[in-house]
Amino acid sequence: MEALAVRLSGLDPYVGGAIRVVAFYDTMMRRRVDLPALARASSGLAECIAGLRLHGSGRAIRMGPDGREPSGPPSPPSSSAPITLDDEEIGTAWLERPGPPNPLDEVLLDRLAIAAAAAVERYDPSRTTMADPALVELVISPDTDEAARARALRLLGFAAELPVRVAAVRSPVPLDRVGALVCPGHPVKAAPLADVGVLLAMTLDAARFPAEVRAGVGAAGSPDCSWRQARTALRFTTPREPVVRYADLGALALLAELPPDTARANPDVAAVGRLAASPEDLETLDTYCATGSLRRAADLLHRHHSSVARRIEQLGRTLGIDLSDPTGLTRARLALTAWRLLGE
């Protein structure tokens, strides 16, 4: 490589310099250097301050050409490059070069970012959000023995003895972005499994899920149990309630255990199924069941109270249920939920 760089530099100094930069970082990666060593070596090569920052920790590593951390405040970066690992942007590399940039700065930063990603993968995979789906599946599977589950948790950056909360997610938003939103400042791992995304975290803020995301959140505890709860909670999500905590379901969770044939054969569930042919009727029933109040339902539906009252009375006759009676309202809520679970 060095001989090639010498020959090419006679024809094109930039090409020769670029090859030397590539060879320099290839050597760094072969030596398996860590992030501080990378920043130190890069600052010496660039003859200016070089920096690295990982989004997960927010901590910046800055080194000057003398191999020490600069004492003064940071200058605005003269050039920068994203650090990516498995298509996830996990940090930034930059140079603080006074004066005009060096033509080789772009090549240097590109190779520095690649080397930094390799160092993160080698020394601290817990700083990344996206995880190996096989490891995540080991953690949440009920068939995994506890020793294997503990090993998988440690590899993912979690302490095996602490409770983990699992969320089941259906989302058009990338999972790593969802994880960063609901677990700011806390470890989180994400992986796609079959038709659903998985989030593993010690703690998460369910109120921070993006509006277009459907999520079921299990209780903190054994990951396999929390995963089962999360999948169940996900089945109860609706456009009106896109995020559901299993702990908030209470006895409603029992509906998820009903055999589908049993649910379909129930007269109330069958009546809701027939009603579903009219989306407007279904929305009216859903809103009334969710609020338990004609006036509140009218406000949400943007209709006059008397109009909604007549509609609810008509829907009650169609269902064969007195929706003005508390028992009838409970029957309608249960039937609507059971019908939705069949559709899921």
Side-chain angles (χ1 to χ4, degrees):
M1 178 69 80
E2 289 296 328
L4 177 62
V6 170
R7 289 199 301 273
L8 289 176
S9 62
L11 301 174
D12 188 333
Y14 172 83
V15 173
I19 292 177
R20 286 191 177 93
V21 170
V22 172
F24 176 86
Y25 283 102
D26 284 349
T27 301
M28 292 292 101
M29 293 171 70
R30 283 197 302 272
R31 291 177 179 173
R32 299 174 179 268
V33 299
D34 58 13
L35 293 177
L38 265 178
R40 187 176 296 108
S42 298
S43 64
L45 180 65
E47 298 182 333
C48 68
I49 294 174
L52 296 168
R53 178 182 289 108
L54 298 180
H55 299 329
S57 65
R59 175 174 171 263
I61 302 171
R62 295 172 67 238
M63 292 293 179
D66 60 358
R68 300 175 183 176
E69 294 188 26
S71 56
S75 303
S78 56
S79 52
S80 63
I83 302 171
T84 59
L85 181 60
D86 294 333
D87 297 323
E88 175 190 352
E89 185 175 326
I90 63 170
T92 305
W94 74 90
L95 296 176
E96 299 173 24
R97 183 183 298 283
N102 187 295
L104 290 172
D105 283 354
E106 184 177 351
V107 178
L108 187 150
L109 281 172
D110 178 67
R111 302 307 297 183
L112 172 57
I114 292 172
V120 169
E121 187 174 31
R122 181 180 302 114
Y123 293 113
D124 196 358
S126 64
R127 292 188 183 276
T128 63
T129 300
M130 297 306 293
D132 182 349
L135 275 180
V136 172
E137 193 164 11
L138 269 177
V139 168
I140 63 178
S141 172
D143 300 324
T144 303
D145 65 75
E146 291 309 309
R149 195 188 317 278
R151 283 195 300 272
L153 281 168
R154 283 194 296 271
L155 288 171
L156 290 170
F158 296 103
E161 65 274 8
L162 296 178
V164 171
R165 189 183 300 273
V166 185
V169 178
R170 288 199 177 98
S171 169
V173 180
L175 282 176
D176 60 307
R177 197 179 307 164
V178 176
L181 285 171
V182 301
C183 303
H186 297 285
V188 58
K189 286 296 181 184
L193 285 184
D195 63 331
V196 68
V198 184
L199 294 181
L200 298 175
M202 306 297 290
T203 181
L204 59 82
D205 186 351
R208 294 176 63 92
F209 278 104
E212 61 270 42
V213 170
R214 296 281 190 99
V217 183
S222 174
D224 57 325
C225 179
S226 186
W227 169 241
R228 184 172 64 253
Q229 294 172 352
R231 287 300 300 262
T232 298
L234 181 63
R235 295 179 62 196
F236 284 84
T237 60
T238 66
R240 188 183 303 282
E241 192 174 8
V243 179
V244 174
R245 294 175 178 270
Y246 182 85
D248 295 335
L249 288 174
L252 283 176
L254 296 173
L255 291 177
E257 307 297 326
L258 281 177
D261 290 343
T262 301
R264 288 190 190 94
N266 182 270
D268 288 353
V269 177
V272 170
R274 292 191 294 271
L275 189 71
S278 169
E280 184 179 355
D281 287 347
L282 192 64
E283 182 186 17
T284 301
L285 178 65
D286 174 46
T287 305
Y288 179 63
C289 285
T291 60
S293 162
L294 286 172
R295 291 195 178 277
R296 180 62 181 145
D299 289 342
L300 292 176
L301 292 168
H302 306 292
R303 293 177 185 167
H304 194 273
H305 166 261
S306 59
S307 172
V308 173
R310 287 194 299 272
R311 194 67 188 149
I312 290 297
E313 184 179 356
Q314 182 179 344
L315 290 175
R317 288 195 297 269
T318 301
L319 295 170
I321 300 174
D322 182 1
L323 295 176
S324 64
D325 178 73
T327 301
L329 183 58
T330 299
R331 282 175 57 186
R333 284 173 172 163
L334 291 174
L336 184 60
T337 302
W339 175 80
R340 281 199 173 116
L341 291 175
L342 288 173
E344 196 279 338

